[in-house]
Amino acid sequence: MSWLILFIAGLFETAWAIGMKYSEGFTKFWPSVFTIVSILISMGLLAYSLKELPVGTAYAVWTGIGAVGTAILGIFLFGESKELARLFFIFLIIAGIAGLRIFAK
């Protein structure tokens, strides 16, 4: 269950990163509210998952999910680069997340 909670926390990390872009430096009210609420949920779920998961593993997975999700949404929402090298390194982050999950105790 802690892994599922951590995954959801990572999704909310992606949400707040994208929300920051839409908030334009916290100058737009509703995107700013969305961003702040997403940060609180993400951090809260990360903290909850740490009851059972090692902090180093959980933090690496959390930031990895956030980084991958944000990079992928950046491609689709903001027209960011789809260069093959960039996609390869995003894949390496996913492989690292999977490896941490598989070998975590």
Side-chain angles (χ1 to χ4, degrees), residues 13-60:
E13 185 189 6
T14 299
W16 68 255
I18 296 298
M20 270 196 206
K21 177 75 170 171
Y22 282 113
S23 77
E24 296 182 11
F26 294 104
T27 60
K28 292 188 172 184
F29 181 74
W30 288 114
S32 297
V33 170
F34 173 81
T35 300
I36 292 166
V37 169
S38 294
I39 289 170
L40 293 173
I41 293 170
S42 181
M43 293 285 198
L45 292 174
L46 172 62
Y48 187 81
S49 73
L50 290 176
K51 289 181 177 182
E52 294 183 19
L53 300 175
V55 67
T57 300
Y59 185 73

